[in-house]
Amino acid sequence: IMYASEFGQNTWDELNVIRAGGNYGWPEVEGIGRRSGYVDPVQQWATRDASPSGITVHDGEVVIANLRGERLRRVPPADPATSTESLTGRAGRLRDAVVAPDGSLWVLTNNTDGRGSPAPDDDRILRVGD
């Protein structure tokens, strides 16, 4: 299964399950539109709660780093309409999530780009889940 997070225009950010030949709506449809000929996302979030920037698969879950939402979202592939959140508001803007060579999850913060609230030691790489 292939997933894509989408940084929306004004209203909705999305998580899509990619299907060959699928039309995900941009720029005609943003978020769940329920319109014939378009594939709706499995999740949508208000831009204030998301702004997805990086995505990976770790320990069998889709993991999404969010800039404006300042949270790490985990989505189980068996139920992609649900998710859990962590780091909410604790590390600032999250730019990316990657699986490290040892199998752990690393998250990159991005608070010094003029949009975040940088701490003296930003930006940094966080090892998550230990």
Side-chain angles (χ1 to χ4, degrees):
I1 298 175
M2 180 184 289
Y3 298 90
S5 60
E6 184 174 319
F7 198 114
Q9 178 66 31
N10 296 313
T11 308
W12 299 112
D13 296 328
E14 305 174 0
L15 176 64
N16 292 291
V17 175
I18 303 302
R19 298 182 197 142
N23 183 338
Y24 297 87
W26 186 253
E28 301 300 320
V29 180
E30 185 177 357
I32 297 171
R34 295 181 177 85
R35 288 182 48 187
S36 179
Y38 298 104
V39 178
D40 279 340
V42 293
Q43 286 196 41
Q44 70 178 18
W45 314 283
T47 56
R48 72 180 174 277
D49 298 327
S51 300
S53 183
I55 185 171
T56 193
V57 175
H58 180 257
D59 286 344
E61 294 182 304
V62 178
V63 180
I64 307 164
N66 293 269
L67 288 165
R68 190 170 171 201
E70 297 185 357
R71 67 195 71 201
L72 191 66
R73 191 171 272 118
R74 294 176 186 265
V75 179
D79 188 7
T82 65
S83 62
T84 58
E85 299 174 355
S86 62
L87 298 177
T88 305
R90 294 190 353 232
R93 295 161 49 84
L94 305 181
R95 172 64 66 183
D96 205 358
V98 298
V99 177
D102 67 357
S104 64
L105 180 65
W106 289 357
V107 176
L108 175 67
T109 68
N110 192 201
N111 297 307
T112 62
D113 65 353
R115 294 183 181 202
S117 299
D121 60 350
D122 273 333
D123 288 334
R124 53 202 162 130
I125 297 172
L126 307 174
R127 184 178 170 129
V128 178
D130 291 335

